[in-house]
Amino acid sequence: MKNKIVIITGANSGIGKAAALKFATEGYRVVMACRNMDISAAAQKEIIEITKNKNVDLMKLDVSSFDSIRTFCTAFKSKYPQLDILIHNAAYLNHGLKEYQLSSENIELSFATNTFGPFLMTRLLADHLAKSSDPRVLNACTTNIKNFFDPKRKIEFDNLRGELKGTRPYSTYKMYGDSKMGLLMLTFKMAEELKSKGIKVNALMINRVKLSKETIHKMNSVWKVFARLQNLTNPLPSDMADNYFHICTSDEFKNVTGQLINHKREIVNPSISEVGFTQLKNVFGSSSYPKYATDPENVEQIWNLSNTLIENKIS
Ligand SMILES: NC(=O)c1ccc[n+]([C@@H]2O[C@H](COP(=O)([O-])OP(=O)(O)OC[C@H]3O[C@@H](n4cnc5c(N)ncnc54)[C@H](OP(=O)(O)O)[C@@H]3O)[C@@H](O)[C@H]2O)c1
């Protein structure tokens, strides 16, 4: 594995850091793509010390900013000959926040970070991925998308550029789920688009994992208590990091693309029915995802919007 290169976004804490540790332990060349260089340098040092793998690089990236993504990708391409694995792990979710947040390019912050950023980054790195003999992209999704089993739930396409900022009630939790649904829909479309280059694109439906103390530290006091209680029973980030590793390296997933995979490493299928007993199974299980994700009108909307927003950002 000595020459295989993996980029992990948000690799300074939680699952991303655990994944960086796992890949470094297995001898991969790891690029930690992080926004806070001081905090992340400490994580990088720790990973190098534990694994004795010196090929753990740290490069600056703010996934919520198209400009930062472009700068990162240019720097990465001039430094590395190819890319084997790209893991979009970083995400924005500020629990309990009710104030609409915009990115530097005036896009709602959850969508900028969790949906359009990974979309642009994958596009910019596609040619470098295509140089690998087994290129794989993994998008970190969430069980929160199951909220779309509610037929009333829709992505707020009319409110992703601050249009209704201050007038429509805003919840980061809802916007987070919407943005991850957007990411899932783009996963399916990008997998089709990149098939001709041999690039596999999948998403992992993460259920629950112990939150890092850094993440808990950012929460307000009510959410802090809630998060600490949940942490008593939630599994360690390293379990989910093992899933990242398995999906991105194993023979089992070598030819799998355009799929949502659950924490048990099973393929999740579109629901066959969203009423009655089947709906109960949908909501409480992890074997199906809402039909909303593959509805052609919804997919076209997110696809067109993503392409419009990143126009002029492809170099
Ligand atoms: N933990 C769970 O229970 C759970 C459940 C479902 C899904 N997930 C998903 O799993 C992934 C990892 O979650 P986690 O719990 O391990 O998260 P975490 O510990 O909160 O880490 C999130 C990482 O993302 C980074 N990040 C946020 N915004 C960024 C930006 N604009 N640019 C670059 N990096 C940015 C953070 O960097 P800073 O340190 O600079 O903030 C941090 O390194 C996420 O995609 C999350 O949505 C997690």
Side-chain angles (χ1 to χ4, degrees), residues 178-275:
D178 287 6
S179 67
K180 291 286 188 175
M181 173 52 84
L183 179 66
L184 178 61
M185 295 193 288
L186 293 178
T187 302
F188 298 147
K189 279 288 278 185
M190 290 209 95
E192 275 172 37
E193 185 185 61
L194 296 175
K195 219 172 229 169
S196 61
K197 291 180 191 275
I199 302 168
K200 278 84 48 144
V201 187
N202 293 297
L204 174 62
M205 187 164 75
I206 298 168
N207 51 344
R208 57 193 180 90
V209 167
K210 262 185 215 311
L211 294 174
S212 64
K213 53 182 188 308
E214 295 85 3
T215 298
I216 294 178
H217 182 70
K218 288 179 216 153
M219 295 175 177
N220 70 31
S221 44
V222 177
W223 279 93
K224 268 191 185 127
V225 174
F226 189 59
R228 286 195 181 116
L229 283 174
Q230 279 206 324
N231 266 5
L232 295 174
T233 54
N234 282 351
L236 289 167
S238 54
D239 295 348
M240 203 53 71
D242 286 349
N243 285 340
Y244 283 12
F245 186 79
H246 187 76
I247 294 165
C248 293
T249 64
S250 69
D251 282 348
E252 185 187 351
F253 287 98
K254 192 176 167 66
N255 298 313
V256 174
T257 190
Q259 299 293 342
L260 177 65
I261 299 154
N262 69 20
H263 63 287
K264 293 184 272 182
R265 302 178 184 174
E266 301 160 338
I267 304 286
V268 183
N269 293 304
S271 63
I272 35 171
S273 160
E274 294 185 356
V275 289

Side-chain angles (χ1 to χ4, degrees), residues 22-47:
K22 173 73 181 171
F23 277 94
T25 304
E26 299 291 338
Y28 283 73
R29 297 170 76 184
V30 180
V31 176
M32 300 169 65
C34 305
R35 62 177 168 180
N36 183 325
M37 298 305 264
D38 290 342
I39 294 172
S40 305
Q44 176 198 25
K45 187 166 172 273
E46 190 187 328
I47 292 168

